Amino acid sequence: MLLAIITGILVGFVLSLLTGPTFFSLLKISISKGFRSGIYFAFGVFLSDVIYIVLAVVFSLLIGLEEKYRQIIYIVGGSFLLGIGIYYIVKKVKISNEPTKALKNTAYFFKGFLMCMLNPMMLFYWITISTKFTESY
């Protein structure tokens, strides 16, 4: 149990040093819109991470069932990724030079939440972390 706590502290320390688009979005929102909007954005990111962690841990415990449903997982996962790829190839990009309107603080919460929830690399990251450490303990 002590090893799990030490590992968690070390992983948390390493994660606190990493920067990405969320970090820079938080800086931009905090500087341009104020501390309170930054807090709402950060809480949205926090909530999406908590949801991904819970999903990753719960589903990593179901890895033993993977052999039984491997073909179905391949078909559903491949179809999902193919659909996303086709959507982004066909999607028309609209460029607008209009200034953005001011958002309410709850909009910054949803902006942070959706920024992390719609990023497939976040899900992949948390699944990798949870399966790595679930196997160890």
Side-chain angles (χ1 to χ4, degrees):
M1 183 66 174
L2 183 61
L3 183 61
I5 293 172
I6 292 171
T7 305
I9 290 171
L10 289 174
V11 169
F13 180 72
V14 170
L15 288 177
S16 69
L17 298 176
L18 298 176
T19 58
T22 305
F23 175 75
F24 292 110
S25 294
L26 178 61
L27 282 179
K28 179 184 177 280
I29 289 171
S30 296
I31 290 171
S32 64
K33 303 300 180 188
F35 178 77
R36 191 175 196 107
S37 298
I39 291 293
Y40 275 87
F41 181 83
F43 188 69
V45 171
F46 172 76
L47 184 64
S48 70
D49 280 344
V50 167
I51 290 171
Y52 269 156
I53 290 168
V54 169
L55 288 174
V57 169
V58 167
F59 286 111
S60 68
L61 297 174
L62 299 175
I63 287 179
L65 299 175
E66 189 256 341
E67 289 293 328
K68 186 176 181 181
Y69 299 107
R70 180 173 293 213
Q71 193 68 26
I72 296 171
I73 292 171
Y74 286 166
I75 293 170
V76 171
S79 300
F80 178 72
L81 291 175
L82 184 66
I84 289 175
I86 290 171
Y87 172 76
Y88 281 111
I89 289 173
V90 174
K91 179 182 172 186
K92 301 281 185 196
V93 177
K94 294 180 183 178
I95 299 175
S96 174
N97 292 331
E98 298 174 12
T100 58
K101 58 183 177 182
L103 299 175
K104 294 181 181 177
N105 287 336
T106 54
Y108 290 112
F109 168 80
F110 287 112
K111 184 176 183 176
F113 179 77
L114 292 174
M115 182 178 185
C116 287
M117 284 301 284
L118 298 177
N119 183 357
M121 289 308 294
M122 291 299 297
L123 179 60
F124 178 71
Y125 172 79
W126 285 119
I127 288 172
T128 304
I129 292 291
S130 70
T131 54
K132 161 74 174 108
F133 294 112
T134 304
E135 290 174 357
S136 302
Y137 308 109

